[in-house]
């Protein structure tokens, strides 16, 4: 019999406390997701930070194939490969914007908010990147497509010496990619409320 103050009661309490601590520290599978609302905010901030595409930059536009195949589902409602592709996209965006060479004409506060939300989404969704290795085969081709895409964006910036027009080309490309993600990966992003279409 376990009575209050007995060694068994203390052991039982310690065991329950340890289980409770482990449950709190370990992320539950239901919480491992990308937040659609935050991806939508990233898109909106990217759109607002520079305004309309400047006509003087039209001569700098280059053809860059969007990596839409990287975000295509294999028919399942939740596809770890798609989620990892979206996560990889966010980490690549974070890397591109990490060198602080964005145009001074862009709204500094909006750029800062954009970078903070990208980082927040990456930080809160690290579990997506470390999903079961079973999804590695599915992700290999997606990673290759995304690598080619982001290498091309980085090349545009370097070739044009991080000019304002080079950044506008990159911003334009990223807006299209984020719009595709938001409109085509509904089952792979967590939405706290009903989502809206992005135009």
């Amino acid at each position: 019999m376990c009575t209050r103050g007995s060694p068994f009661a203390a052991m039982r309490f310690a065991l329950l406390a340890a289980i409770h601590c482990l449950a709190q520290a370990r992320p539950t599978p239901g919480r491992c997701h990308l937040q659609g609302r935050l991806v939508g905010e990233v898109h909106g901030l990217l759109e607002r930070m520079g305004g309309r595409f400047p006509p003087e930059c039209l001569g700098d536009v280059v053809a860059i194939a969007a990596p839409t195949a990287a975000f295509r589902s294999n028919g399942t409602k939740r596809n770890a490969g798609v989620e990892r592709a979206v996560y990889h996209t966010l980490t690549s965006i974070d890397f591109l914007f990490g060198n602080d060479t964005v145009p001074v004409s862009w709204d500094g506060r909006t750029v800062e908010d954009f970078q903070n939300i990208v980082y927040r989404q990456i930080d809160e969704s690290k579990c997506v990147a470390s999903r079961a290795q079973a999804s590695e085969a599915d992700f290999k081709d997606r990673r290759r497509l995304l690598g080619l895409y982001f290498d091309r964006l980085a090349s545009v910036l370097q070739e044009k010496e991080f000019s304002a027009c080079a950044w506008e080309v990159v911003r334009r490309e990223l807006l299209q990619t984020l719009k595709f993600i938001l409109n085509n990966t509904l089952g792979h992003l967590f939405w706290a409320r009903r989502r809206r279409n992005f135009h």
Side-chain angles (χ1 to χ4, degrees), residues 50-87:
R52 291 184 177 265
F53 190 84
E56 64 270 15
C57 295
L58 287 173
D60 291 300
V61 173
V62 292
I64 301 174
T68 56
F71 309 110
R72 300 240 188 257
S73 175
N74 62 4
T76 58
K77 179 154 174 63
R78 300 247 0 198
N79 182 307
V82 173
E83 288 178 291
R84 289 179 69 186
V86 174
Y87 182 84

Side-chain angles (χ1 to χ4, degrees), residues 15 17 24 27 29 33 40 47 53 63 102 125 159-160 162 188-189 191 196 198:
L15 180 62
Q24 296 298 319
H33 56 259
E47 192 170 46
F53 190 84
V102 298
S125 306
E159 289 166 10
K160 299 184 183 292
F162 298 90
H188 306 284
L189 301 175
W191 294 89
R196 66 182 177 94
F198 289 82

Side-chain angles (χ1 to χ4, degrees), residues 12-120:
R12 183 174 174 220
F13 176 77
L15 180 62
L16 289 173
I19 290 171
H20 177 72
C21 286
L22 284 173
Q24 296 298 319
R26 198 161 194 213
T28 59
R31 292 187 183 181
C32 182
H33 56 259
L34 293 158
Q35 295 183 45
R37 181 186 59 79
L38 290 181
V39 176
E41 281 186 43
V42 165
H43 177 272
L45 289 165
L46 185 61
E47 192 170 46
R48 286 190 304 277
M49 74 175 61
R52 291 184 177 265
F53 190 84
E56 64 270 15
C57 295
L58 287 173
D60 291 300
V61 173
V62 292
I64 301 174
T68 56
F71 309 110
R72 300 240 188 257
S73 175
N74 62 4
T76 58
K77 179 154 174 63
R78 300 247 0 198
N79 182 307
V82 173
E83 288 178 291
R84 289 179 69 186
V86 174
Y87 182 84
H88 189 73
T89 298
L90 292 170
T91 59
S92 298
I93 289 171
D94 185 54
F95 181 78
L96 278 178
F97 278 78
N99 62 17
D100 294 326
T101 60
V102 298
V104 293
S105 60
W106 287 0
D107 180 62
R109 180 66 190 161
T110 306
V111 172
E112 187 178 324
D113 290 345
F114 168 82
Q115 290 174 310
N116 288 337
I117 291 177
V118 168
Y119 179 78
R120 175 181 166 196

